[in-house]
Amino acid sequence: MYQWRKFEFFEEKYVGKCNVPEEITAEITCCSSGRGKVAIGCDDGTVSILDRGFKFNCTFQAHSSSVHFLQALKQRNYLLTVGQDEQISLQASAMCLKVFDLDKTKEGISANPSPSTSPSTSPGPSTNIAVPDCVQILRIFTNQFPEAKITSFLVLEEAPPILLIAIGLDNGSIYCIKGDIARERITRFTLRVENASAGNAAITGLGFRGDEPSLQLFAVTPSSVSLFNLQHQPPKRQTLDHIGCDGKSIAMSDRSELIIGRPEAVYFYEDDGRGPCWAFEGDKQFLGWFRGYLLCVTADQRIGRHTFNIYDLKNRLIAHSVAVKEVSHMLCEWGNVILIMADKSVICVGEKDMESKLDVLFKKNLYTVAINLVQTQQADAAATAEVLRKYGDHLYSKQDYDEAMAQYIHTIGHLEPSYVIQKFLDAQRIHNLTNYLEKLHEKGVASKDHTTLLLNCYTKLKDAEKLNYFIKGEDGSEHKFDVETVIRVCRGANYHEHAMYVAKRAGRHELYLKILLEDLGRYDEALQYISTLEPSQAGMTVKEYGKILIEHKPQETIQILLKLCTEEGKPAKKGTLTMLPSPVDFLNIFVHHPESLMDFLEKFTDKVKDSPEQVEIHNTLLELYLSHDLAFPSISQYSSNGSPDGKERAMAGVVQVSTPSSNGKLSSSNDEKSRVMRREKGLHLLKSAWPSDQENPFYDVDLAIILCEMNAFKEGILFIYEKMKLYKEVIACYMQTHDHEGLIACCKRLGDSGKGGDPSLWADVLKYFGELGEDCSKEVKEVLAYIERNDILPPIIVVQTLSQNPCLTLSVIKDYIARKLEQESKLIEEDRRAIEKYQEDTSTMRREIEDLRTNAKIFQLSKCTACTFTLDLPAVHFMCMHSYHLRCLGDNEKECPECAPEYRSILEMKRNLEQNSRDPDQFFQKIKSSKDGFSVIADYFGMGVISKTKPDPGNTSSSGVF
């Protein structure tokens, strides 16, 4: 042990100023400390309380005679004393246990003797002071527990107010008192050391180990070391050693180990027997334990010298060593070790701060000792890292790079990595740098730059094995690096397989495919990988890399897109709703390959008939079908938020793109045959996407019209106009192309009012031929025949219209005019006869009216018109020559029941005519829809509607109203 290094990690406090206060004049018999105070018991029965710095607080008379033992409690501010008191009787013991409450005081008499008197003399003058209150006095010995000499005393605070007091006796027995001592709710029991012999059985030391319920008690005699297990009833004794101790060199460590000092060594005992021992020579006067340090006062009898040593057993060093006088008591309080000498002088030793201790070691370059010191004293991680850094710097300065790196590695997490990296970059120690970077990644503190640097180290060293281990590691282990950084570096160094492994394991499908497609060109493998992904992930990757795939593997890519956009191959689970991607989402990948786009959309529409995106899909297909040179759709582009309206798309125009095929030749879109086939498909799409039972088609009508007009697709325009019932626009198309045969055929189909057509189309056709400026006699005759047959136009309009064409002769319309004149003559004759009849009827009516006004009417009916019985009074006669019994008329006496319905119908008709006359729109609508508008006006005149006039109150002139 003489080879242990000595350091001054402790320093003396209050140098030359610390002594037992002069108020304490008697001999000190016992000491105890706790709760910031020191209690000193003397042989005159007094107990003195000292504050920090050994400042005197108070003294009180605890016992009438000597105070043998005392102990301050930690959890409550109590002080327990064992001392001699006056005997109560001849049989009663004078040895008492007292409990003082230091928080409660009462007026008492000072027990301080005069400083000039000796302990053997009588006390000096007394004064009234506040002394602690004695809350309990307990006799230790009773008839059941016979009196013996007390050799040791120990108190355990189990759970306040429960105490366990162990009192060691010189007869080898241990008296135990357990319970609430202050209230005297206690139990007593005795423990006996069985192997104790006469004259060598005194209990010299006690120590508690553990807590309830596994509480144990060490008991030391000069001849043995025993352990009692208090959880058994009765307590079970175990002998740990057959050699004991007869002095005061007994203590307990902070790990509940019993420490015994013998001349040859210091021994540690645990519950299973003797543990480690330390060969410290010298007679051990006192042993103690302070913050992990072993305190030892040894005496060299040969030279009469006492030494106080503080041992750091973990680091195997002497933290403090000083020669002292004869020591009477040793205790710890206020963070210091206190030695009270026999001459009442005091030495207080306190531990230096960690920084001071480390400075001492750094000055001597004892870095290993410094590291062990901070680790054993549980310093914070930052302080430990700083020591390791300094040690590493020291080794680095000596060019011991491997050991320096070993120390720097231990600083990871506290020392900035750039500090270490810069050192080894300058020293060009790539192996050490690689090791450090590996540790950074293992501990999960590496940044992207560190990952880049480590991979560059691997590639520079061409260490494929370490690169594999770094990237692949153990199966199932979590990545400790930035994935994108590793992939970027591996790609740059042409380690594509490693980059692909990382991307696949991390689930970065887009990076995996990027390597396959852009670096390796393995398109089939990329397609196979996409097919294994979840639909959402596959859709995202195809959107990003679809252009490359379409360029090199168009058919295979289209098959994947069809699987994504349909439920083919992946049936939805029962009861779940699967959202499939729309083909419109993938239009951008076909920007340079419109043929593939057309193929994809055609196959999709064949599989899915009710897609919610079918309008957009049909629009795109129409643009592809109708474009002169196969071009990528531009008008029918749809954003995710909706589509522009027809007018905005019309302004967008169509960008024509000439697309070369894979073999470098122009695409087949330039071939006339292909163009004809596409137009046939376009027309079929226009018709099939507009079912007859639907009002609107499954495509944008405005867009379709624009596409047909821009690409001169007449068939499509005619179909759309006809479906929209824009018949005039239909015949306008034929007029523009001068297709007279088609024009007339179209009018026959669309101008038949019996089939829902518009007869006015014939007027437009006739006007067209009238303004044509060329000979079209054949066509005009055909048109006139239809106009004549359906009586569409008056002859005067026909003549005026055809007269504008100078190429037409009178012979064209001669027969038509002759027939119309003959018809008109017949009509005139019929009208003349009708007029004559109406005039005769009018004259007859006027005569009847005049007769009713001027002549009497004779009623000669003898029967009732209603019941046909003989007419009797009272009777009612009407001017219409009908007669009724009064009883047959009931309440209706003012009108003839026989003539009333006809009369009311005439009145109702008149009211309706008057009401209709107030609606000019209806009047003009009838004129417009009638073949002969003049006849409508004549009917209104005949019904007396137009003839009625009403003066306008706001205007002096009168005007007819309808």
Side-chain angles (χ1 to χ4, degrees), residues 14 67 119 221 241 243 247 275 277 347 362 431 538 555 571 575 655 716 755 762 899 903 920:
Y14 319 112
V67 180
T221 67
D241 202 346
I243 302 176
C277 67
I347 295 178
F362 292 156
H431 291 89
Q555 294 301 321
V655 179
K755 298 180 180 179
W762 292 103
C899 302
Y903 176 70

Side-chain angles (χ1 to χ4, degrees), residues 450-667:
H450 298 150
T451 303
T452 303
L453 185 58
L454 176 59
L455 293 176
N456 287 330
C457 290
Y458 284 151
T459 56
K460 189 172 183 179
L461 293 172
K462 299 187 182 304
D463 194 340
E465 182 178 354
K466 280 193 173 182
L467 182 60
N468 288 334
Y469 181 79
F470 175 77
I471 290 177
K472 298 181 180 180
E474 299 179 0
D475 293 337
S477 60
E478 186 179 357
H479 288 300
K480 296 183 178 179
F481 49 75
D482 182 74
V483 174
E484 292 187 1
T485 302
V486 171
I487 294 174
R488 175 175 51 81
V489 176
C490 289
R491 288 183 67 192
N494 292 326
Y495 284 89
H496 297 110
E497 294 298 330
H498 294 79
M500 289 168 57
Y501 175 84
V502 174
K504 187 174 183 179
R505 187 176 178 185
R508 301 298 297 272
H509 311 297
E510 71 283 0
L511 297 178
Y512 184 87
L513 291 170
K514 191 179 185 69
I515 300 169
L516 276 177
L517 297 173
E518 296 182 2
D519 297 342
L520 303 178
R522 287 147 59 172
Y523 308 107
D524 291 329
E525 185 176 345
L527 289 167
Q528 181 65 29
Y529 182 78
I530 292 174
S531 64
T532 62
L533 299 177
E534 292 293 327
S536 59
Q537 297 173 341
M540 294 175 59
T541 54
V542 171
K543 287 179 184 179
E544 186 169 357
Y545 301 106
K547 293 180 182 178
I548 300 176
L549 295 172
I550 285 294
E551 182 178 357
H552 296 87
K553 297 288 180 179
Q555 294 301 321
E556 293 82 352
T557 307
I558 289 173
Q559 290 302 319
I560 289 181
L561 288 175
L562 289 174
K563 290 182 179 180
L564 288 175
C565 298
T566 63
E567 297 183 356
E568 179 184 347
K570 294 185 178 180
K573 295 183 180 179
K574 187 175 182 180
T576 61
L577 181 62
T578 305
M579 297 299 294
L580 299 174
S582 170
V584 179
D585 300 335
F586 302 99
L587 291 183
N588 63 314
I589 70 175
F590 295 93
V591 64
H592 298 301
H593 302 276
E595 288 184 347
S596 298
L597 174 60
M598 185 170 61
D599 185 25
F600 167 55
L601 295 180
E602 287 175 346
K603 292 178 178 178
F604 177 80
T605 53
D606 290 340
K607 291 178 177 292
V608 181
K609 302 298 183 180
D610 55 351
S611 171
E613 307 292 337
Q614 59 183 337
V615 173
E616 289 81 354
I617 295 172
H618 290 160
N619 290 343
T620 306
L621 278 174
L622 280 175
E623 189 167 354
L624 290 169
Y625 287 153
L626 303 183
S627 60
H628 186 269
D629 293 326
L630 190 58
F632 182 79
S634 58
I635 294 180
S636 55
Q637 291 303 300
Y638 288 83
S639 65
S640 59
N641 296 328
S643 62
D645 60 22
K647 294 183 179 179
E648 292 176 349
R649 290 196 301 267
M651 296 177 64
V654 177
V655 179
Q656 302 293 335
V657 180
S658 179
T659 55
S661 61
S662 58
N663 58 6
K665 298 180 180 180
L666 287 179
S667 173

Side-chain angles (χ1 to χ4, degrees), residues 259-371:
I259 307 172
I260 296 178
R262 301 189 184 111
E264 73 280 4
V266 175
Y267 298 89
F268 285 74
Y269 290 88
E270 297 184 8
D271 56 355
D272 57 351
R274 182 192 295 179
C277 67
W278 303 89
F280 301 135
E281 295 183 355
D283 186 15
K284 314 301 185 296
Q285 297 294 315
F286 290 91
L287 285 183
W289 191 265
F290 175 74
R291 295 180 180 176
Y293 293 100
L294 175 64
L295 310 178
C296 184
V297 177
T298 60
D300 192 342
Q301 302 295 341
R302 295 173 297 177
I303 59 176
R305 180 182 176 185
H306 294 75
T307 305
F308 173 54
N309 291 328
I310 301 177
Y311 297 99
D312 185 349
L313 301 181
K314 292 182 179 179
N315 296 312
R316 296 177 178 270
L317 57 85
I318 300 174
H320 183 70
S321 181
V322 62
V324 296
K325 302 175 184 178
E326 183 179 356
V327 179
S328 62
H329 297 87
M330 181 172 66
L331 49 85
C332 300
E333 188 60 37
W334 310 312
N336 299 325
V337 179
I338 301 171
L339 301 177
I340 301 178
M341 308 302 173
D343 60 357
K344 294 188 177 181
S345 62
V346 178
I347 295 178
C348 290
V349 178
E351 188 177 7
K352 295 180 180 179
D353 59 81
M354 180 62 72
E355 185 177 357
S356 300
K357 291 188 287 186
L358 293 177
D359 287 341
V360 173
L361 297 174
F362 292 156
K363 290 178 182 178
K364 298 180 180 181
N365 291 331
L366 298 175
Y367 293 98
T368 56
V369 178
I371 293 171

Side-chain angles (χ1 to χ4, degrees), residues 51-89:
D51 292 332
R52 181 180 289 273
F54 267 70
K55 295 180 180 180
F56 180 79
N57 185 315
C58 69
T59 298
F60 60 92
Q61 191 73 38
H63 297 271
S64 60
S65 184
S66 175
V67 180
H68 296 291
F69 299 95
L70 59 82
Q71 183 166 340
L73 301 184
K74 305 292 185 182
Q75 300 183 32
R76 291 186 296 171
N77 199 15
Y78 280 10
L79 180 67
L80 276 65
T81 64
V82 175
Q84 196 77 23
D85 282 304
E86 294 180 356
Q87 292 186 355
I88 301 174
S89 63

Side-chain angles (χ1 to χ4, degrees), residues 427-447:
Q428 296 183 352
R429 299 286 298 180
I430 189 171
H431 291 89
N432 297 119
L433 180 59
T434 303
N435 186 23
Y436 181 76
L437 294 170
E438 289 173 345
K439 298 300 180 182
L440 285 178
H441 286 82
E442 288 179 7
K443 296 186 177 181
V445 296
S447 66

